[in-house]
Amino acid sequence: MEDPKITKPQPKPVPIHEPPKEDDEEKEKQRQQRRHWKRRNPDWRARKAGAGSLPLLYVPTRDYEVYANTLVGYPARVKLYPGMPRTVKDFDKMEPGLLALEFGAEYIVPGGRFTSMYGWDSYFIILGMLSSSEPPEPRLLETAVSMLRQQVYEIENYGALLNANRSYFLNRSQPPFLSSTLMALLPYIKNDTKLVSRATAAIVKEYDNVWKCGHRYDRATGLSRATEIGHYAWMKDLTGNARKRAIRSDMAIQESGHDTTARLTRTDACDIATVDLN
């Protein structure tokens, strides 16, 4: 005789998938639009937070007026570029921001997810545009020349071809490919003597003021090496000369452009004079 307290297991009901209602379709469409907008506007949190958190743009004196007038009503703050910080403490005090480039000139960012122009990435991007067809498509050639102008502008106003046009990269250059960029574009811009002259002067300026002086230049060998002023938390347990060497080597890796490979190590990078610098 069956125990009345024991019931036989019942099969689980099979869910019936009803077609989505029009309201649900509209809500999903709106969600997708919001996600797309956030991807295209990575500073959306700052915009929402208020004016004090809006993206910051540092502009050199020569272009401050045109930027300030153009960006009236735009969700961004424009500040006069204060000049190159002299010490690590000065860098810490400087509010992070984007460094303005030549007004009206375009550039392409690597990877499609960054918002800054990167140093040696730009060289390879330009090579890709020039080799896309023979002769290069006019639109791509125009963009490549525009990127050359931007790199020249960086050296003229910020002293070096930076890792990227961000304030926290003011002390970090990248392999000096501007001369190679100029040579690649020279057949197409040789009649623009003003641009060629500007680019040549910028190449010499960076060579003399970045790679042939200070902590990047080894007077004993006459060779240049990558390095940078800064520090990282992983070095906190090191002391004395070991700490100094670790700091310089780690910064050298970042500046060299080889930070995504195992070519350089955190212990000896500051003493390696790589071929691309010499």
Side-chain angles (χ1 to χ4, degrees):
M1 184 175 180
E2 293 185 0
D3 188 342
K5 295 181 181 180
I6 300 176
T7 57
K8 294 182 179 180
Q10 300 295 320
K12 294 182 179 180
V14 178
I16 299 176
H17 296 284
E18 298 180 355
K21 299 179 181 179
E22 292 184 4
D23 291 345
D24 295 336
E25 291 181 349
E26 183 62 28
K27 289 180 180 178
E28 179 60 27
K29 182 179 179 180
Q30 292 175 357
R31 281 194 292 268
Q32 291 179 359
Q33 289 175 342
R34 285 196 295 270
R35 285 195 293 267
H36 177 70
W37 184 87
K38 289 178 180 179
R39 285 195 296 268
R40 296 292 299 273
N41 298 272
D43 58 345
W44 66 273
R45 287 188 177 88
R47 298 186 187 189
K48 185 177 179 181
S53 301
L54 290 176
L56 175 60
L57 178 68
Y58 288 106
V59 184
T61 303
R62 60 189 265 189
D63 292 325
Y64 181 80
E65 186 175 350
V66 65
Y67 268 100
N69 292 336
T70 303
L71 296 179
V72 171
Y74 187 81
R77 292 174 294 150
V78 180
K79 280 188 177 182
L80 192 65
Y81 172 59
M84 177 71 173
R86 295 183 177 275
T87 66
V88 174
K89 290 183 178 180
D90 291 338
F91 271 103
D92 291 340
K93 293 177 182 178
M94 188 175 185
E95 185 179 2
L98 191 69
L99 300 173
L101 296 177
E102 184 170 301
F103 188 81
E106 298 177 319
Y107 61 88
I108 295 177
V109 299
R113 65 186 182 90
F114 296 99
T115 56
S116 311
M117 184 182 75
Y118 279 72
W120 74 334
D121 301 71
S122 296
Y123 169 65
F124 296 107
I125 291 172
I126 289 172
L127 289 185
M129 289 191 288
L130 295 181
S131 62
S132 62
S133 62
E134 184 58 43
E137 295 182 19
R139 186 70 180 89
L140 295 180
L141 178 59
E142 180 183 349
T143 303
V145 174
S146 178
M147 292 176 69
L148 172 66
R149 293 181 182 276
Q150 299 286 30
Q151 293 185 324
V152 170
Y153 185 93
E154 272 195 348
I155 296 175
E156 290 175 342
N157 292 277
Y158 307 118
L161 184 54
L162 304 176
N163 186 156
N165 58 312
R166 293 279 178 180
S167 60
Y168 42 82
F169 286 144
L170 278 166
N171 61 338
R172 183 190 298 177
S173 185
Q174 279 205 321
F177 275 102
L178 183 57
S179 57
S180 300
T181 301
L182 176 60
M183 294 305 296
L185 286 169
L186 193 58
Y188 310 102
I189 63 171
K190 57 186 177 183
N191 294 329
D192 190 346
T193 55
K194 183 177 180 180
L195 177 57
V196 173
S197 178
R198 279 183 62 200
T200 303
I203 291 168
V204 174
K205 177 181 179 179
E206 184 184 42
Y207 181 73
D208 289 340
N209 298 335
V210 176
W211 300 109
K212 296 294 287 185
C213 70
H215 51 283
R216 291 184 177 91
Y217 182 61
D218 180 29
R219 296 186 180 278
T221 61
L223 298 176
S224 301
R225 56 195 173 184
T227 185
E228 177 193 347
I229 304 171
H231 65 279
Y232 280 149
W234 69 270
M235 305 170 191
K236 64 182 180 180
D237 295 329
L238 300 177
T239 59
N241 291 333
R243 178 181 175 83
K244 293 179 181 179
R245 183 178 177 81
I247 290 174
R248 292 183 60 194
S249 291
D250 194 83
M251 297 301 102
I253 293 174
Q254 310 305 322
E255 184 173 78
S256 71
H258 297 297
D259 51 311
T260 57
T261 74
R263 292 187 180 95
L264 304 179
T265 70
R266 285 181 168 178
T267 58
D268 61 8
C270 64
D271 288 334
I272 297 179
T274 56
V275 174
D276 52 17
L277 299 182
N278 298 282

